[in-house]
Amino acid sequence: GIGRERRCVALLALPTPYVCMLFLLAASPPPLRRAPPVMLSSATTAKSALRAALAASDGEPKAPEVLAAITELEPFSIPEPALSPLWAGDWRVITKPDFPDSLGRDAAGRYKFSLGRASFNMFAPQMLPVAIDSILNPSSAPAPGSPGAYEVIVKLDLLLPDASPLAATMENVAECTPVDGNPGRMAVKFGGGCLRPADGAPSEAWRDTFAAPGSSADLSRMQRFQLWVARRLFGLRRAEEVAADGTMTYEMPRAPEGYLDILFLDEDLRVTRGNRGSIVIAERLPG
């Protein structure tokens, strides 16, 4: 009915983080405060300035000095980056994790979040704290008639209350395609992902922790409504049980499409801004 449609529209208008892995909706990002630019003479100098600004801002990509450094770097990007084979490769994110509601840091300096916030409510127990080790961003280049791949792979520890941490890998998989008429923009559509033990076979503690992987017991009313909308509109399916190898999956066959503007790309650095304004800076891994 009309009331239900209005609730769906209100939900989809809510702000979402990172690249809006699950609810990517095209929208203009809000204006960001930038520090005054300082003209630099080469790509090498501009990249060094960006890395220095990122280090000084503790990895915050929207810090004014980082935004100013990105502005100085953009003119040195290769032309038509969405069409370039340099898009492909193994990339490591060097900006801080952009999941919502950080729980601070652990003794090793790693950012902590709840599993629900880090997985966009895909996996339970939702309130289980996790510590982020690293975020990888492997990508493959699209071919004529075939999309490329764009993945977000999060290496993390599950912080159990009365046991040793469990090492885990969370993967989110998307298709990517250059946008017609805009060779600097890549359309991205996330279709699913998984959470699995990082070291292979699941331990007893892993199976005990995820005895009810599809549970919504600790979700708020709004979070339950979000999942209901995702099931109805996007075909979301969450695993109701853990596979033999410990993997839990989700699928979203009718996922909405977002995009990434490629602000800079060369042989070793990539800077993108998502349709909701999230900025990700990644460096190419050797090999």
Side-chain angles (χ1 to χ4, degrees), residues 93-125:
V93 175
I94 58 176
T95 40
K96 74 177 188 179
D98 196 24
F99 305 118
D101 300 331
S102 172
L103 302 177
R105 300 198 193 196
D106 66 4
R110 301 178 301 177
Y111 284 97
K112 297 190 298 180
F113 303 87
S114 69
L115 177 60
R117 299 308 264 166
S119 69
F120 300 87
N121 302 326
M122 288 298 101
F123 303 111

Side-chain angles (χ1 to χ4, degrees), residues 160-227:
L160 306 184
D162 299 310
S164 299
L166 296 175
T169 299
M170 183 167 59
E171 301 179 8
N172 300 279
V173 182
E175 295 181 345
C176 61
T177 309
V179 173
D180 290 342
N182 188 344
R185 176 173 290 181
M186 191 75 79
V188 177
K189 181 185 292 186
F190 282 89
C194 71
L195 179 68
R196 57 181 173 80
D199 51 2
S203 64
E204 182 177 350
W206 180 276
R207 292 201 171 277
D208 289 343
T209 300
F210 297 109
S215 173
S216 300
D218 53 354
L219 291 177
S220 68
R221 182 177 298 178
M222 176 58 73
Q223 289 169 330
R224 290 193 185 99
F225 181 62
Q226 289 173 332
L227 289 176

Side-chain angles (χ1 to χ4, degrees), residues 57-185:
S57 66
D58 199 25
E60 172 52 64
K62 294 183 180 178
E65 58 270 30
V66 174
L67 293 174
I70 291 173
T71 298
E72 292 299 322
L73 181 60
E74 286 184 55
F76 298 107
S77 177
I78 63 168
E80 301 187 336
L83 305 179
S84 171
L86 290 180
W87 167 266
D90 293 323
W91 300 86
R92 181 175 70 90
V93 175
I94 58 176
T95 40
K96 74 177 188 179
D98 196 24
F99 305 118
D101 300 331
S102 172
L103 302 177
R105 300 198 193 196
D106 66 4
R110 301 178 301 177
Y111 284 97
K112 297 190 298 180
F113 303 87
S114 69
L115 177 60
R117 299 308 264 166
S119 69
F120 300 87
N121 302 326
M122 288 298 101
F123 303 111
Q126 302 281 331
M127 301 309 295
L128 178 68
V130 303
I132 306 299
D133 275 327
S134 63
I135 301 177
L136 306 177
N137 209 183
S139 311
S140 65
S146 176
Y150 180 84
E151 299 181 60
V152 178
I153 300 177
V154 184
K155 303 287 187 179
L156 51 84
D157 276 349
L158 307 170
L159 305 179
L160 306 184
D162 299 310
S164 299
L166 296 175
T169 299
M170 183 167 59
E171 301 179 8
N172 300 279
V173 182
E175 295 181 345
C176 61
T177 309
V179 173
D180 290 342
N182 188 344
R185 176 173 290 181

